[in-house]
Amino acid sequence: CSVAAEGGHLVVVKRLLEEGASVNAVTREGCTPVKLAAQGGHERAVQVLIEAKAALDLKDSAGDTALGRAARGGHEGIVRKLKAAGLTADETRDGRGRTALARAAMDGDTAAVRMLLEVAGAEVDTKDNIGATVLMWAATGGHEDTVKALLSAGALVNARTFEQGSALMRAAEGGHEAT
């Protein structure tokens, strides 16, 4: 079912499910059919898998869920479907406590950051296991546009990690003057 979902082969996905294929089959990388369909932008396949009761909150080996993969692929319709099906942007975290929003900010994926904030309703000031906020991760990477998007969304500029680090300190340490 995973290969069919990844390719967006809707007829094959439906047939495999009818024949008893597991809707939550996991690849070696920890990917499920719904994750692969979401990543590929296959909205109809995602809908079929949701209707088949796919577990939407399962994480892959990188800690990503279908929501994070859809947002990073720019698939707003799928993000909306996953949210409508009950998957929230903040409840699934990787082993370091980072949300899909934090991972997008770390990569400087401003479009995904905006989508997760505006469409999925992600919380702008969530903290990971060391107390770092999404803004801190964007600043650490010197991702100026992502920092601006987070500040526009109300990110707390003076938040501190458990070790008292801030976004400004992280930007300065990385030599990111513009950030």
Side-chain angles (χ1 to χ4, degrees):
C1 193
S2 292
V3 173
E6 182 175 27
H9 305 294
L10 190 59
V11 173
V12 177
V13 169
K14 287 180 179 180
R15 178 62 187 240
L16 288 169
L17 292 172
E18 288 169 3
E19 295 296 324
S22 173
V23 71
N24 295 315
V26 180
T27 67
R28 277 180 265 157
E29 296 80 23
C31 295
T32 60
V34 73
K35 239 182 271 177
L36 294 168
Q39 175 180 305
H42 306 297
E43 196 166 336
R44 290 176 42 204
V46 168
Q47 185 61 46
V48 166
L49 293 162
I50 289 171
E51 290 169 4
K53 306 292 186 224
L56 303 178
D57 59 346
L58 295 179
K59 296 178 271 188
D60 61 22
S61 58
D64 234 346
T65 64
L67 184 71
R69 285 180 175 244
R72 293 176 84 188
H75 308 300
E76 185 175 331
I78 294 173
V79 170
R80 289 185 188 282
K81 281 187 183 304
L82 293 167
K83 183 179 180 200
L87 185 60
T88 65
D90 298 324
E91 77 181 41
T92 54
R93 296 170 178 262
D94 65 16
R96 294 184 174 123
R98 296 181 190 141
T99 63
L101 180 63
R103 288 188 300 281
M106 290 172 83
D107 291 342
D109 190 340
T110 306
V113 165
R114 285 192 177 111
M115 190 181 305
L116 287 163
L117 289 168
E118 297 166 10
V119 178
E123 170 58 45
V124 72
D125 286 316
T126 59
K127 291 187 173 190
D128 63 16
N129 294 350
I130 64 167
T133 65
V134 176
L135 179 63
M136 289 176 196
W137 285 116
T140 298
H143 305 301
E144 187 176 351
D145 289 339
T146 304
V147 167
K148 287 178 183 177
L150 292 166
L151 290 171
S152 292
L156 297 174
V157 72
N158 291 320
R160 303 271 183 182
T161 65
F162 300 137
E163 297 161 347
Q164 299 305 309
S166 69
L168 179 61
M169 291 169 70
R170 285 175 168 235
E173 286 171 357
H176 307 296
E177 292 179 27
T179 307

